[in-house]
Amino acid sequence: MADAAVTIVGGGVVGLAIAAELSPHYSPLFLLERHAKYGTETSSRNSEVIHAGIYYPHGSLKAKLCVEGRDILYTLCEKHDISFRRITKIITATRKDDLAALESLYNHGRGNGVQLEMMSAQQVHALEPHINSVGGIFSPTTGIISAHGLMDFFYHSAKNNGAEIQTHCNVVGLEKRGSDFSITIEENETRTTFTSEIVINAAGLESDTVAALAGIDVDAAGYRLHHCKGSYFAIPNAKRNLVSHLVYPIPSKESLGVHALIDLGGRLKFGPDVEYLSERSYNYAVDESKRHAFAESVREILPSIEDDDLSPDYSGIRAKLQAPGEPVRDYIIRHEADRGLSGLINLIGIESPGLTASPAIAKYVYRILKT
Ligand SMILES: Cc1cc2nc3c(=O)[nH]c(=O)nc-3n(C[C@H](O)[C@H](O)[C@H](O)COP(=O)(O)OP(=O)(O)OC[C@H]3O[C@@H](n4cnc5c(N)ncnc54)[C@H](O)[C@@H]3O)c2cc1C
């Protein structure tokens, strides 16, 4: 008999949501996190937006799990007092040439089942008099949430159901042994090995590394991750009332574009930009030399912002399956039985909207395990 029924690698929002979902059904259930606290990587370094589900390819896991996760999040927030706000969002076209792209984005979002409204320039300016706009899309179901509040909720739900959540616990070995997995962990330079029937790899930026530990050739499988940093700059409080909704530009192929964010404390910030990293450095410092280029992107939306209004704020790193210039890839959420690894579920490339989708991802994983 294995030491654990289920072991989850990674204590970000996805691993925690899965622990909360599975813990009523599996015992013992372990969640292993390498840092001193859960949720200190990407899950606490993002825009904290509850995405409506507009952008993602029709029929993709990103689209389906975002829409499902968004609705679950609003219910959880209301029921369990997790901080959130239904702030809503405007996507603005800043040039006449962008109006066709705006309309196709509207049709695309509607195709994902998202409630949206087209807006004239006058309607945009009635809501946001200071922004640059020749027309827009209004998204009434976009909101903001406390990522820490959500993770605390998942953590306590899992703990109350008997899950054992271990921090300072780096998974360094994963091997199929008979019907179970042998897992080696490193805690303060001491290595220990135990067994688990099921392993769920929710290791975020290192989920490809963990898949490789299990013997998967990540290049052949298409699991290799590209780390892509996104930085934010903050706007001083004196100018924070210049916008009152989240305001996004027309997205590019690579990202949603630098957009205006208002956090739960009412602070206004812009970001994130797109910077593919050549090495895995986990350097979260925001490069001040980006200020001017950043301000140029901000002025596309909010022309009155000057370079000196921007101060470096924070950054996060995206776990992208696609290299620069490649087409967008969908989430990999896969039971690896056909690779001789029955009981291993890999979650790889869980970039945005992973925060929004997290409770739906957890339900999806539970459905995989039950079939
Ligand atoms: C700039 C930016 C903005 C974003 N904005 C939004 C947004 O507004 N809305 C939205 O829905 N999504 C957003 N996202 C996406 C969202 O943040 C992620 O999809 C989500 O946080 C991924 O969670 P995770 O649990 O998979 O990863 P993580 O939070 O990275 O958690 C993985 C955990 O695994 C641990 N780990 C790794 N290797 C090991 C190991 N060997 N042993 C033990 N532990 C290990 C890590 O320490 C980490 O804590 C954004 C992302 C970025 C980068």
Side-chain angles (χ1 to χ4, degrees):
M1 179 127 155
D3 301 311
V6 172
T7 300
I8 299 165
V9 185
V13 71
V14 172
L16 290 163
I18 295 169
E21 182 71 26
L22 298 188
S23 48
H25 311 286
Y26 296 89
S27 176
L29 181 147
F30 297 157
L31 182 148
L32 310 175
E33 166 54 47
R34 63 180 170 177
H35 294 305
K37 174 97 172 82
Y38 56 86
T40 59
E41 290 198 0
T42 312
S43 296
S44 55
R45 297 181 156 276
N46 55 61
S47 302
E48 297 188 299
V49 171
I50 300 177
H51 284 298
I54 303 168
Y55 305 94
Y56 318 106
H58 292 161
S60 64
L61 283 177
K62 283 182 179 172
K64 286 192 277 198
L65 298 174
C66 181
V67 169
E68 186 187 337
R70 174 202 75 196
D71 291 345
I72 301 173
L73 281 194
Y74 282 123
T75 307
L76 287 179
C77 288
E78 275 160 8
K79 197 166 162 199
H80 299 285
D81 220 12
I82 302 163
S83 299
F84 79 111
R85 198 175 145 205
R86 292 178 190 268
I87 191 167
T88 73
K89 148 171 160 177
I90 294 170
I91 301 169
T92 178
T94 55
R95 298 187 185 93
K96 285 234 154 32
D97 290 353
D98 290 338
L99 285 172
L102 190 77
E103 197 175 336
S104 86
L105 185 60
Y106 169 83
N107 290 328
H108 186 87
R110 298 275 295 176
N112 277 343
V114 181
Q115 186 189 345
L116 296 171
E117 291 157 32
M118 283 299 274
M119 302 169 91
S120 65
Q122 290 85 337
Q123 286 171 315
V124 173
H125 286 132
L127 293 180
E128 292 289 358
H130 305 290
I131 71 167
N132 201 355
S133 188
V134 295
I137 299 171
F138 183 65
S139 169
T141 58
T142 303
I144 50 176
I145 184 169
S146 161
H148 281 290
L150 179 64
M151 286 191 281
D152 290 345
F153 168 73
F154 289 141
Y155 171 84
H156 290 294
S157 302
K159 289 280 279 185
N160 290 343
N161 294 329
E164 293 180 39
I165 298 180
Q166 301 281 342
T167 53
H168 291 294
C169 202
N170 194 15
V171 172
V172 294
L174 179 58
E175 205 182 318
K176 185 81 182 162
R177 288 260 178 88
S179 59
D180 300 329
F181 288 88
S182 164
I183 302 171
T184 304
I185 52 173
E186 196 171 74
E187 278 176 284
N188 306 320
E189 293 177 20
T190 305
R191 290 194 170 201
T192 324
T193 298
F194 68 96
T195 55
S196 183
E197 285 169 40
I198 293 166
V199 175
I200 296 169
N201 169 14
L205 291 163
E206 297 297 344
S207 51
D208 55 349
T209 313
V210 171
L213 289 179
I216 294 176
D217 177 337
V218 291
D219 289 311
Y223 288 3
R224 175 79 62 198
L225 284 174
H226 304 274
H227 286 195
C228 179
K229 187 168 174 179
S231 297
Y232 296 81
F233 279 75
I235 303 296
N237 281 346
K239 294 199 172 179
R240 77 177 186 193
N241 292 328
L242 287 175
V243 291
S244 55
H245 302 75
L246 306 184
V247 182
Y248 286 57
I250 304 275
S252 70
K253 279 202 179 108
E254 283 195 328
S255 82
L256 304 188
V258 166
H259 46 263
L261 290 159
I262 299 164
D263 65 22
L264 286 164
R267 276 185 347 123
L268 175 62
K269 56 204 174 185
F270 279 84
D273 65 350
V274 175
E275 178 190 352
Y276 272 91
L277 303 174
S278 49
E279 286 172 14
R280 296 194 176 185
S281 72
Y282 292 94
N283 175 2
Y284 291 111
V286 175
D287 180 357
E288 287 220 43
S289 70
K290 288 181 170 181
R291 189 192 310 264
H292 177 68
F294 221 92
E296 293 281 36
S297 306
V298 174
R299 281 191 283 271
E300 279 281 315
I301 296 176
L302 200 53
S304 61
I305 292 295
E306 293 164 18
D307 287 16
D308 286 346
D309 289 328
L310 297 179
S311 47
D313 207 27
Y314 66 97
S315 73
I317 301 175
R318 305 170 181 91
K320 281 193 177 290
L321 281 162
Q322 62 274 13
E326 287 179 1
V328 169
R329 299 257 312 267
D330 201 3
Y331 293 156
I332 292 168
I333 305 178
R334 191 171 192 277
H335 187 190
E336 304 288 4
D338 58 357
R339 295 186 205 275
L341 297 167
S342 177
L344 172 64
I345 296 184
N346 276 318
L347 292 98
I348 303 182
I350 312 298
E351 58 169 329
S352 192
L355 180 70
T356 310
S358 57
I361 291 174
K363 288 185 188 303
Y364 187 80
V365 167
Y366 183 46
R367 285 199 295 275
I368 292 177
L369 287 175
K370 280 199 304 182
T371 51

